[in-house]
Amino acid sequence: MPISLIPDLDQQLSQATDPLAAFRDIIARSKTVLADRFNAGEAVEDLVHARADFVDQILQRAWQHFIATDNDGALVAVGGYGRGELHPASDVDVLILVGAVPAGKQAEDIEQLITFLWDIGLEVGHSVRTLEQCVESAVADVTIVTNLMESRFLAGSEMLFQQMKVSTGPDRIWPSNEFFSAKCEEQKARHARFGDTAYNLEPNIKSNPGGLRDIQMIGWVVKRHFNAERLSELLHQGFLTDAEYQALKAGQSHLWKIRFALHLLTGRHDDRLLFEYQRSIARQFGYCDADSNLAVEQFMQDYYRTVMELNRLNEMLLQLFQEAILYQNKPCDVVRINNRFQSCNGYLEASNAAIFVRYPIAILELFLILQEHPELEGVRASTIRLIRAHLHLIDERYRKDIRSRSLFLEILRQPQGIFHALQRMHRYGVLAAYIPAFANITGRMQFDLFHVYTVDEHTLMLLRNLRRFSVPEFEDEFPLCSRVFKQLIKPELLYIAGLFHDIAKGRGGDHAILGAEDAHAFCKLHDLSDYDAEVVAWIVRSHLLMSVTAQRQDIEDPLVVQNFAQQVGDRSRLDYLYLLTVADIRATNPKRWTSWKSSLLNRLYHSTRQTLIRGLKSPLGQDELIQSKQGEARRMLNEKGFGDEDINRFWRELSLEYFLQNDPEEIAWHGNLYLSGKDFSKPMVALRTSVSRGCNEIFIVQKDQKNLFARCTALIDQLHLNILEARIQTTDSGTALNSFFVLEVDGHHIAPERNREIQEILEYGLQESTGTTPKARALPRRLQEFSSKSEITISQDVQNHHTLLRIKSMDRPGLLSLIAWVLTEQNLRLLNAKITTLGAMADDVFTLTDSDGRTLSDQARLEKLTQALLETLDQPS
């Protein structure tokens, strides 16, 4: 029996002159007592039940005060309150059960009761139903019958309550088989709403897969089918081992503790573990920052590991229930597969309970059999339990056994089922047992908005993406990736690299280098050749190289491509790296993947491949590249009716950088617009869809002005467009040619019907010769928790006589406009801007010169620029 929150409740109420004030005061004090006892370390189970018991007492006394003794109604607790579980801000759900539809004084009394309960500070969810209405509603809705199934008598007519329990029992409505099927569908739909993953960045601890609802789901089935009140009765039924039961209870306790703290922190019923709460609760629970692992990351890793285990138990128990409830009278249709395994009603099972003891290698063999027999629906629950019970057999000796090593590689070499095999191995704990380093990243989160999955889930998503490149039905998704994948001689090397690319996250040091060492050791242990082992290690060590090059450097510059090609070395490595990079970016944050990023990687792949075919000792020179582009652009402009004299006059106005940055189609489009224009004292704005770049281009031509670029970026930001790259060219005659490559903020192309609106707003807005200094705008809620100081890095591009400015700052609306304004005020010439957003952080690179086209070499001027940027970017919003 829980210790009462307010021991002298009746005495205090009897002495009160104002019942409403007395009840309100007692409820307010109960919340303080509850928080104090929680902070003092009292068991959360006792507190959850103590609050339910306290509310029982309040409701019973309120019922006695407002409802006449001859009333034939009953006050019933339902839902979580019916189970006797109430967290600090949980709704108090009650059913007022009546013999007939309330009228007259009875209706008035009920109304006064509910009003009183709200007035004293209880958030009551109530329904008033007759017995017939209860049955009718329960028949129509499995959620209602679930609530009634958990109902608990509080006050009034207990006979009426018992009649309701009988009338809604499984022998009258919703027999256990129908109830089970409906609840399974309900759970499937709920999981789908949360992306079928327990690893959401801001999880709902109640409704996410592996959350409290999954535990409640087990309890509902137990109650409906077995007429059992406690999960512990599953022990006696043989559905749970003692270790599994303890894991289930420990998981529930951990989630209850988090939910309890969350309610106290927010002061309301909120089950979402938002970023702004994660840090606070981590500190409250005693987690401390470590060198390579923040306190909040440790806290969330424990959370994710908890829900992962609960997810496993939920899956196993529901399958056992399925056999007991849906197939109880159906004999097992056994199909022998080999001496160790058989199929039972479409599920793979061990032929006997001792098979893993006698032949431990069969643990890995099971996953290979699933790949070879796609008709199998899964693994039978009893066999899942056997696997989990024998994980200790996967030790160092097991990993060195040639049979184990051969089986694991065979799994990776299968034509189908590789992702599902590895996913299932992870879910059952086999993957972390076979590759011990994988245990370190299980449930490991990174506290940022860039990585939306835990490291283990991200790794599996990457492998899923790689597998889709090999499946013909998905060729339309990523045509180039599918073509390149077909060229791979040994796809298993790519899968191994994928498994190890992030395996050293959280250890400290460079995870790519440490992961490469692990990958090389794994390859040698599995008897791969020195060459193959080095290829895998190189892929892991270099897995960020292509992404960084494509997103932060000017890949139109042949020197950039030449340098990248030299680091890659050969076409085989380029193929592996390209495929891993695409799969990695998409698995990091699928919503951040855009056609623009796809275009960047595709263009870098093609240009690097051509460089490797040409030979690293025969690099493509800038002059040769420019001549090639000009020749193709001239042909297009000639077809538009422009003569060579006009074309040459236009090109003489432009710098070499312009021709390096733009492809022939862009040069021809710009030339057509420029040569067709007469007066650029007013801005001319044109839009087009750039298929080759996977985005839209906004081209603005106007007489150059000091703050023109800053005003362009401010206006584009107001149009809610996301600038991906900006190129600034000023002709010798003083006309600015500014190109902005953009997408909508959701990553989609601009709809054609919006083109005219954008054009008119930009042309009108740019006619003003001056603009007000932009102000830093407030960070959106999700970004505020990640606020950090900006970082400025300045380096010199000696070969091209440019200065490179790299700015890492909190991403926010109008950021580029703020930066542009500072550059304008510092009298700098901006040639190019590469915009990269990594979660909450913007990582942008700007190519600059002074107003005379020279590099910025004066140290005092560089320090002044840095200071001006930091003061602007880090000013309070």
Side-chain angles (χ1 to χ4, degrees):
M1 189 73 178
I3 301 172
S4 177
L5 295 180
I6 308 294
D8 53 349
L9 179 63
D10 283 324
Q11 180 182 348
Q12 294 187 46
L13 290 175
S14 64
Q15 296 173 350
T17 56
D18 182 352
L20 182 66
F23 271 96
R24 188 183 293 131
D25 177 66
I26 287 171
I27 288 174
R29 282 196 289 124
S30 75
K31 293 178 180 179
T32 302
V33 172
L34 206 62
D36 289 344
R37 285 167 59 175
F38 179 74
N39 293 330
E42 188 167 331
V44 69
E45 293 85 355
D46 291 343
L47 297 177
V48 166
H49 297 309
R51 180 166 188 257
D53 180 66
F54 169 74
V55 173
D56 285 355
Q57 297 176 57
I58 294 294
L59 292 182
Q60 287 162 352
R61 284 152 182 77
W63 177 272
Q64 292 167 7
H65 182 78
F66 285 98
I67 307 299
T69 55
D70 59 350
N71 191 302
D72 63 347
L75 182 64
V76 180
V78 294
Y81 179 38
R83 293 191 300 271
E85 303 166 2
L86 275 183
H87 284 75
S90 293
D91 292 338
V92 178
D93 293 326
V94 296
L95 163 68
I96 298 177
L97 189 60
V98 292
V101 176
K105 187 175 185 308
Q106 185 186 30
E108 188 177 313
D109 290 346
I110 292 173
E111 184 178 346
Q112 288 181 349
L113 171 65
I114 298 302
T115 301
F116 176 78
L117 295 178
W118 276 96
D119 285 344
I120 63 177
L122 288 180
E123 295 188 13
V124 178
H126 77 284
S127 60
V128 181
R129 291 195 180 105
T130 64
L131 184 63
E132 292 74 18
Q133 288 172 332
C134 283
V135 174
E136 182 181 343
S137 299
V139 168
D141 191 336
V142 70
T143 302
I144 293 176
V145 77
T146 304
N147 275 341
L148 295 178
M149 194 173 69
E150 296 187 302
S151 59
R152 183 167 53 86
F153 175 75
L154 293 175
S157 172
E158 189 166 3
M159 181 181 297
L160 187 62
F161 169 74
Q162 293 298 338
Q163 289 176 339
M164 184 272 293
K165 293 290 284 185
V166 171
S167 299
T168 57
D171 56 335
R172 300 286 184 91
I173 63 172
W174 286 103
S176 62
N177 59 336
E178 294 179 11
F179 178 81
F180 176 75
S181 296
K183 297 306 284 188
C184 284
E185 288 301 313
E186 188 180 74
Q187 175 174 289
K188 188 184 299 182
R190 173 169 53 82
H191 284 187
R193 288 199 305 273
F194 293 92
D196 282 315
T197 178
Y199 302 114
N200 290 300
L201 274 178
E202 296 181 304
N204 185 305
I205 60 177
K206 184 176 181 181
S207 300
N208 257 95
L212 289 168
R213 274 278 186 248
D214 282 7
I215 301 175
Q216 292 163 9
M217 169 70 175
I218 295 167
W220 294 329
V221 175
V222 168
K223 185 182 285 286
R224 196 72 180 173
H225 183 73
F226 301 105
N227 195 30
E229 294 295 327
R230 299 177 181 277
L231 288 175
S232 57
E233 295 186 42
L234 288 176
L235 288 167
H236 309 306
Q237 297 279 355
F239 284 95
L240 274 179
T241 65
D242 183 66
E244 290 164 349
Y245 173 71
Q246 295 303 327
L248 197 61
K249 294 298 291 182
Q252 176 179 265
S253 179
H254 188 64
L255 295 187
W256 270 9
K257 187 177 178 183
I258 295 173
R259 191 182 189 213
F260 206 96
L262 191 58
H263 282 198
L264 290 177
L265 181 64
T266 62
R268 63 180 183 272
H269 183 177
D270 195 342
D271 296 321
R272 297 171 304 158
L273 196 51
L274 303 179
F275 290 125
E276 54 261 43
Y277 309 143
Q278 291 173 15
R279 282 188 192 273
S280 298
I281 296 177
R283 286 194 297 268
Q284 183 181 352
F285 286 7
Y287 292 89
C288 299
D289 288 345
D291 291 340
S292 58
N293 205 1
L294 297 175
V296 66
E297 294 174 340
Q298 299 169 48
F299 163 64
M300 290 304 295
Q301 184 171 27
D302 284 345
Y303 164 80
Y304 288 125
R305 287 180 171 178
T306 296
V307 294
M308 182 179 182
E309 180 64 19
L310 290 174
N311 214 358
R312 288 171 179 158
L313 288 169
N314 174 269
E315 175 195 12
M316 186 187 73
L317 282 169
L318 291 188
Q319 193 183 130
L320 288 170
F321 292 157
Q322 184 181 52
E323 295 175 6
I325 298 171
L326 301 184
Y327 304 147
Q328 56 181 329
N329 297 318
K330 181 180 179 181
C332 183
D333 182 16
V334 176
V335 177
R336 185 174 181 273
I337 294 176
N338 61 25
N339 291 335
R340 294 168 293 283
F341 294 100
Q342 61 193 28
S343 167
C344 174
N345 294 333
Y347 285 87
L348 184 63
E349 70 172 353
S351 56
N352 64 76
I355 193 66
F356 296 138
V357 175
R358 294 203 300 262
Y359 190 70
I361 307 303
I363 295 175
L364 280 179
E365 182 188 16
L366 174 142
F367 300 99
L368 180 60
I369 290 174
L370 285 170
Q371 292 176 286
E372 294 173 337
H373 294 270
E375 72 279 4
L376 291 169
E377 295 186 44
V379 183
R380 201 171 183 194
S382 56
T383 300
I384 295 174
R385 174 175 287 151
L386 283 176
I387 293 170
R388 299 278 295 156
H390 293 90
L391 286 177
H392 65 279
L393 298 176
I394 305 179
D395 54 14
E396 194 65 25
R397 181 180 176 184
Y398 185 102
R399 290 185 282 270
K400 290 180 178 179
D401 192 311
I402 190 172
R403 296 169 298 174
S404 301
R405 292 181 280 134
S406 299
L407 276 170
F408 193 85
L409 288 182
E410 190 64 25
I411 289 169
L412 296 182
R413 288 170 175 153
Q414 286 299 298
Q416 61 189 6
I418 294 174
F419 164 68
H420 291 294
L422 292 170
Q423 183 186 50
R424 199 183 296 271
M425 289 170 72
H426 180 44
R427 200 158 65 240
Y428 299 164
V430 173
L431 194 57
Y434 190 74
I435 305 177
F438 205 85
N440 181 60
I441 61 170
T442 298
R444 179 175 293 280
M445 66 92 76
Q446 296 169 87
F447 193 65
D448 58 42
L449 285 174
F450 181 53
H451 301 87
V452 300
Y453 301 113
T454 55
V455 182
D456 54 329
E457 183 77 353
H458 160 73
T459 299
L460 292 172
M461 291 293 290
L462 180 149
L463 290 163
R464 169 186 172 274
N465 293 340
L466 290 176
R467 284 298 297 158
R468 287 174 78 91
F469 299 154
S470 72
V471 180
E473 64 187 277
F474 298 125
E475 284 182 357
D476 291 342
E477 284 186 350
F478 296 92
L480 178 58
C481 291
S482 296
R483 291 197 300 272
V484 171
F485 193 95
K486 289 177 182 177
Q487 301 171 9
L488 299 183
I489 299 174
K490 296 180 178 180
E492 66 270 20
L493 301 186
L494 184 60
Y495 300 141
I496 296 171
L499 269 173
F500 281 87
H501 83 289
D502 273 352
I503 205 162
K505 282 280 182 78
R507 283 197 224 160
D510 189 325
H511 78 280
I513 294 175
L514 296 174
E517 294 171 357
D518 287 355
H520 190 275
F522 179 88
C523 291
K524 294 305 296 177
L525 177 65
H526 288 74
D527 300 320
L528 271 66
S529 68
D530 290 341
Y531 177 82
D532 287 347
E534 182 48 43
V535 167
V536 171
W538 179 87
I539 298 170
V540 174
R541 189 164 52 248
S542 308
H543 73 270
L544 297 174
L545 174 63
M546 193 169 194
S547 173
V548 170
T549 302
Q551 295 186 76
R552 295 179 187 164
Q553 297 188 48
D554 183 4
I555 59 174
E556 309 299 336
D557 186 341
L559 293 176
V560 171
V561 176
Q562 177 73 15
N563 180 56
F564 176 72
Q566 287 175 336
Q567 293 180 75
V568 172
D570 62 50
R571 279 179 279 171
S572 174
R573 289 189 178 191
L574 176 64
D575 289 346
Y576 283 126
L577 184 60
Y578 167 69
L579 294 172
L580 187 77
T581 302
V582 174
D584 189 16
I585 295 176
R586 291 186 62 234
T588 300
N589 190 336
K591 292 182 179 179
R592 295 277 184 176
W593 176 260
T594 62
S595 53
W596 166 259
K597 289 182 180 178
S598 178
S599 167
L600 286 176
L601 294 172
N602 289 357
R603 292 190 345 255
L604 180 57
Y605 173 82
H606 283 303
S607 57
T608 306
R609 191 170 188 275
Q610 289 302 314
T611 298
L612 292 170
I613 291 173
R614 185 186 183 101
L616 293 175
K617 294 183 178 180
S618 304
L620 180 64
Q622 288 188 356
D623 292 344
E624 184 180 353
L625 179 61
I626 290 172
Q627 289 174 10
S628 173
K629 289 183 176 183
Q630 287 181 339
E632 181 63 19
R634 185 184 298 276
R635 182 188 63 77
M636 296 179 188
L637 286 169
N638 288 156
E639 291 176 356
K640 292 285 186 181
F642 295 103
D644 288 342
E645 185 177 345
D646 289 334
I647 296 171
N648 291 337
R649 176 171 52 82
F650 171 51
W651 285 353
R652 282 195 296 270
E653 297 250 350
L654 302 170
S655 66
L656 294 178
E657 285 87 355
Y658 172 84
F659 292 103
L660 288 173
Q661 291 173 342
N662 294 283
D663 62 33
E665 185 181 0
E666 290 162 347
I667 296 169
W669 185 59
H670 298 163
N672 182 29
L673 293 169
Y674 184 85
L675 294 171
S676 300
K678 296 179 181 179
D679 179 15
F680 295 124
S681 60
K682 293 182 178 181
M684 180 187 73
V685 178
L687 287 84
R688 75 179 188 118
T689 299
S690 175
V691 177
S692 64
R693 297 190 187 277
C695 64
N696 298 94
E697 180 182 359
I698 299 175
F699 185 58
I700 301 173
V701 185
Q702 187 178 11
K703 285 295 182 183
D704 194 24
Q705 299 168 11
K706 181 179 179 182
N707 58 359
L708 178 61
F709 179 72
R711 289 191 290 117
C712 286
T713 56
L715 287 167
I716 292 173
D717 174 61
Q718 291 171 21
L719 286 162
H720 302 290
L721 295 172
N722 185 22
I723 299 175
L724 308 164
E725 185 170 351
R727 292 177 180 170
I728 296 86
Q729 174 72 36
T730 305
T731 67
D732 291 344
S733 59
T735 301
L737 311 178
N738 292 348
S739 288
F740 297 90
F741 297 100
V742 301
L743 288 172
E744 297 280 10
V745 291
D746 61 3
H748 290 99
H749 285 76
I750 298 171
E753 56 267 23
R754 214 155 92 82
N755 285 355
R756 187 62 188 166
E757 171 203 1
I758 293 171
Q759 182 179 2
E760 290 177 351
I761 289 175
L762 287 172
E763 287 181 345
Y764 178 79
L766 291 172
Q767 286 181 29
E768 297 293 331
S769 60
T770 60
T772 57
T773 304
K775 301 294 184 183
R777 285 149 63 179
L779 290 174
R781 176 196 66 81
R782 293 189 91 196
L783 297 181
Q784 290 175 2
E785 196 60 32
F786 301 94
S787 182
S788 61
K789 296 295 183 181
S790 301
E791 297 178 19
I792 310 295
T793 305
I794 299 176
S795 59
Q796 304 298 339
D797 181 353
V798 178
Q799 290 176 310
N800 292 310
H801 308 291
H802 297 153
T803 297
L804 299 180
L805 169 67
R806 181 180 178 187
I807 301 176
K808 295 178 69 175
S809 186
M810 292 299 302
D811 188 32
R812 76 206 79 169
L815 174 63
L816 186 57
S817 183
L818 286 171
I819 296 171
W821 195 267
V822 173
L823 299 181
T824 299
E825 292 297 300
Q826 295 290 313
N827 199 30
L828 298 176
R829 182 183 173 201
L830 177 60
L831 303 178
N832 190 35
K834 296 276 284 187
I835 313 302
T836 306
T837 303
L838 305 175
M841 296 297 296
D843 191 349
D844 303 339
V845 178
F846 302 88
T847 304
L848 307 171
T849 67
D850 63 15
S851 57
D852 297 322
R854 297 173 301 193
T855 58
L856 307 178
S857 56
D858 182 68
Q859 189 60 35
R861 187 173 189 182
L862 294 177
E863 291 176 0
K864 183 180 178 182
L865 170 62
T866 300
Q867 187 62 31
L869 285 167
L870 292 175
E871 289 177 356
T872 300
L873 298 177
D874 293 337
Q875 63 179 294
S877 56

